[in-house]
Amino acid sequence: MFKIERNLLTLTLAALALAAHAQNDNPFGGTGSINSQHEFKREIRNANDTGVEGTEFFKLNYECTWELVRTLATEDKSKQQCENKCNGRKHIKHTDCDLSCDTPCPVHVHRFSFAGHTQYLDKAMREAEKDADNLVYQTGADPHDANWTSYMTRSLSNAKRLSEQLHRYAVNCWNDQPCSIVWRYYGLRRYDFKVTGKLTETGYYMSRGVKTPFAPRNRGTHTKIVAHVWLPEDDPLASFKGLRCKCEPAKVRDGGIGEPPVRDGWVPGLWEGYLLWDDDDTVINDDHVQLTITGVDMNRVHVEVFNDTDKEITVHLGGGLILNPTDDHYQSMTVTVATDIKVGPHQKQGADVRAACTAMNKLEPTSAVQFKLSQTTNPSLADLSAITNASHFRGPADQARIWILTDHVPFNELQKHLLPSPSAGQYLNALYDVSRATGVDIHDGNFKNCFDPALLTATTAKNEAVAWFVEELDRDNPKAFSDLVKGHIGEIRGNFGDKTEDYVYDSVGELTKDLGSCSSMEGRLAGLAVLLQAIPEKDRDKVVAKGGLDSVIVSTQSEDPKEQSQALDVIDQYCHKPSLDQVERLAALGANEEVRQKAAEVAKRLKA
């Protein structure tokens, strides 16, 4: 039966992709086809519809083209350490150090392994199956009678077996810096498995005993992402470094950002909490070390360290360390930038430490407020502090991330409590960071007010943040989401002017592309409305150049006549000639006569 074999087709395409990756043979795309064994027929009536003039006999060919589309999503699987251990007592200061004072990393070749996996998108698979069936119906044939030959011989179990094969790594030592440890995160990258199906009929026409072959006819195409394929990445997802020199104790750094970054731009901190170590580089826990912590403002605390030992020590305050006030009326704080304080024997040393407040509605700390180190940790705070620690620019977005996590603060409330306030784009980026970096359940009802559709008009948000935001809103309530987008069309249009900045074209192009890719028809209609109403005619070519019409093909392949018609309006008003094939398909196979007539007229204008 066609439906059963179509499902196997969709699943087996994923197996083919994984097999190609494993064999390094065309790993990112391919094409296969299946043919109907059964021959169909179609009676052709004469012009007056008074009798049969002839009969067309035809078979169907379904061609599947697939590709793996690289995304920004990653999943870390293995943390590896390469250490050149300093033996000390050779150089006066660390800047003089070379590898001669170190014991090199004892692991000459770092060997490890892990597997990828595949996540099948069941709803998308069913939709792709339905789209393929509809193409067959439009030929006059019944998909249940198509009796497709078994082109695909691999099964779902084969796809599962291939996805679970180990990827084995053998990496030579990568740390060539003295007195240091370099950590690397290795893991998986997500590829979207995109399938495009094309239906063609071939055959001949019989009339009065004369057989006349006709040219192959394209009966339509459909496109869908049907799986997420997580494949091992050869290069590290991120790396960071720590310096531990016994010649002269050096500052430990929550080091550099890897490229590409782990989880969309953040790297884990080296430590949660604080550590002490002495001049022999030994981690200690000594009751003779006292920390006095007082407030400065909502961005800083002052830490005074008294070292009542006979050795020089270093205190490391790690990102995410929680500081609780002795007076509960004031906000608690969390360290956002890891800080080292070096203190000589029987001496006192102080430093200001960058921090953020974790309780928005309490009083702002002052120099009269004292803090104690919390005995509990919050891994999510450590994750967000790592973003700040790795950033070259620090500002209101750092505090915004913390309050989104701890207070679930919406954008309009944040503006009342934080000066200077982050822009709408910075807030959306911060909300995206909280979702991606911490692993908290962003669908928890507490975060509901953070999802303000007005943020869609933010022109300074990252493209990946906008795409994520559109997907989340569309999934939650498509109809309400569509209405709210349409309600903000005036604000979107207001971003355009006599001298529109390039970032506006980038932002609006990304927004319309993401709306056009929504899984719901309501979301896609909202995207078409933005294209038709929000973008001035003089700016349309630049929006198209930024990908603004890249997703209009999704609406042309809809079954709904309203969506088909609005997609034709967009193509017509933008004179989008790359969509001519889709317009001609609608002229032949549109949902109703009105759509077919409109498509024929649009096609004429595109060809003119």
Side-chain angles (χ1 to χ4, degrees), residues 121 123 201 224 305 426 473:
L121 307 179
K123 181 180 177 181
E201 64 178 34
K224 190 74 68 175
V305 181
Q426 288 176 316
L473 291 176

Side-chain angles (χ1 to χ4, degrees), residues 71-79 185-190 230 233 236-239 257-269 272 379-380 382-384 386-387 390 401 429-440 462 464-465 468:
T71 73
L72 295 175
T74 59
E75 177 184 323
D76 52 287
K77 299 289 287 186
S78 180
K79 179 183 177 182
Y185 272 85
Y186 287 83
L188 309 176
R189 180 167 298 281
R190 195 189 87 195
W230 295 83
E233 188 93 337
L237 302 177
S239 64
I257 301 176
E259 188 62 34
V262 173
R263 298 182 188 168
D264 305 304
W266 65 279
V267 292
E272 296 174 9
S380 294
D383 292 336
L384 295 182
I387 298 176
R401 279 191 290 266
N429 291 340
L431 180 62
Y432 175 69
D433 286 338
V434 171
S435 173
R436 296 299 186 183
T438 67
V440 299
K462 296 183 292 187
E464 56 267 31
W468 166 80

Side-chain angles (χ1 to χ4, degrees), residues 23-40:
Q23 299 165 5
N24 197 27
D25 179 19
N26 191 21
F28 294 104
T31 301
S33 62
I34 48 180
N35 297 291
S36 64
Q37 291 180 336
H38 184 76
E39 186 175 63
F40 302 94

Side-chain angles (χ1 to χ4, degrees), residues 178-197:
C179 317
S180 64
I181 309 171
V182 178
W183 289 267
R184 282 183 173 181
Y185 272 85
Y186 287 83
L188 309 176
R189 180 167 298 281
R190 195 189 87 195
Y191 290 80
D192 287 345
F193 194 90
K194 181 180 177 182
V195 176
T196 300

Side-chain angles (χ1 to χ4, degrees), residues 168-183:
R168 302 183 186 278
Y169 292 79
V171 184
N172 293 329
C173 279
W174 54 81
N175 184 9
D176 60 357
Q177 299 298 310
C179 317
S180 64
I181 309 171
V182 178
W183 289 267

Side-chain angles (χ1 to χ4, degrees), residues 398-441:
D398 301 319
Q399 180 64 71
R401 279 191 290 266
I402 301 297
W403 278 345
I404 290 171
L405 174 70
T406 60
D407 294 81
H408 314 106
V409 57
F411 178 55
N412 60 340
E413 284 297 316
L414 187 68
Q415 290 180 304
K416 300 175 184 177
H417 287 79
L418 192 59
L419 291 174
S421 297
S423 67
Q426 288 176 316
Y427 179 89
L428 180 52
N429 291 340
L431 180 62
Y432 175 69
D433 286 338
V434 171
S435 173
R436 296 299 186 183
T438 67
V440 299
D441 183 7

Side-chain angles (χ1 to χ4, degrees), residues 110-391:
H110 298 257
R111 300 183 186 276
F112 52 98
S113 62
F114 49 81
H117 59 89
T118 298
Q119 175 190 3
Y120 296 108
L121 307 179
D122 294 335
K123 181 180 177 181
M125 285 182 172
R126 291 193 297 271
E127 290 175 351
E129 180 180 311
K130 184 179 178 181
D131 290 343
D133 282 357
N134 288 336
L135 294 181
V136 178
Y137 279 122
Q138 291 170 13
T139 68
D142 187 341
H144 295 274
D145 299 328
N147 192 22
W148 301 97
T149 57
S150 180
Y151 173 80
M152 301 299 175
T153 59
R154 296 174 175 85
S155 66
L156 177 59
S157 61
N158 188 34
K160 186 175 186 295
R161 178 182 61 81
L162 288 168
S163 68
E164 293 176 349
Q165 285 185 350
L166 287 179
H167 187 79
R168 302 183 186 278
Y169 292 79
V171 184
N172 293 329
C173 279
W174 54 81
N175 184 9
D176 60 357
Q177 299 298 310
C179 317
S180 64
I181 309 171
V182 178
W183 289 267
R184 282 183 173 181
Y185 272 85
Y186 287 83
L188 309 176
R189 180 167 298 281
R190 195 189 87 195
Y191 290 80
D192 287 345
F193 194 90
K194 181 180 177 182
V195 176
T196 300
K198 177 181 178 181
L199 189 70
T200 305
E201 64 178 34
T202 57
Y204 56 93
Y205 173 72
M206 287 288 295
S207 179
R208 298 180 179 87
V210 178
K211 179 178 180 180
T212 306
F214 58 77
R217 299 168 179 167
N218 179 9
R219 298 311 301 257
T221 62
H222 68 98
T223 299
K224 190 74 68 175
I225 292 173
V226 298
H228 293 159
V229 182
W230 295 83
L231 300 176
E233 188 93 337
D234 289 333
D235 296 326
L237 302 177
S239 64
F240 54 98
K241 180 175 70 174
L243 297 179
R244 304 296 293 275
C245 181
K246 292 184 178 180
C247 300
E248 177 188 65
K251 182 178 180 180
V252 177
R253 299 187 300 211
D254 284 11
I257 301 176
E259 188 62 34
V262 173
R263 298 182 188 168
D264 305 304
W266 65 279
V267 292
L270 296 183
W271 294 282
E272 296 174 9
Y274 77 101
L275 291 177
L276 310 176
W277 67 85
D278 61 22
D279 57 354
D280 290 327
D281 206 25
T282 302
V283 175
I284 63 174
N285 182 9
D286 199 304
D287 293 335
H288 295 285
V289 177
Q290 299 176 1
L291 274 67
T292 302
I293 307 172
T294 55
V296 177
D297 53 33
M298 64 187 300
N299 298 312
R300 293 174 298 160
V301 294
H302 185 77
V303 180
E304 197 83 25
V305 181
F306 175 59
N307 174 23
D308 193 21
T309 72
D310 296 328
K311 295 182 176 182
E312 181 183 76
I313 65 166
T314 300
V315 176
H316 175 82
L317 300 165
L321 177 64
I322 299 174
L323 311 175
N324 291 327
T326 55
D327 184 341
D328 192 50
H329 291 90
Y330 290 88
Q331 298 198 29
S332 56
M333 307 281 281
T334 183
V335 175
T336 55
V337 176
T339 304
D340 291 336
I341 304 174
K342 185 184 294 185
V343 191
H346 304 288
Q347 292 183 13
K348 182 184 290 186
Q349 183 65 46
D352 283 354
V353 177
R354 192 166 183 88
C357 295
T358 62
M360 183 181 71
N361 293 313
K362 292 188 177 183
L363 296 175
E364 182 178 330
T366 68
S367 59
V369 180
Q370 291 198 346
F371 294 85
K372 298 293 184 182
L373 295 174
S374 173
Q375 299 301 309
T376 62
T377 61
N378 183 338
S380 294
L381 286 175
D383 292 336
L384 295 182
S385 296
I387 298 176
T388 301
N389 199 82
S391 174

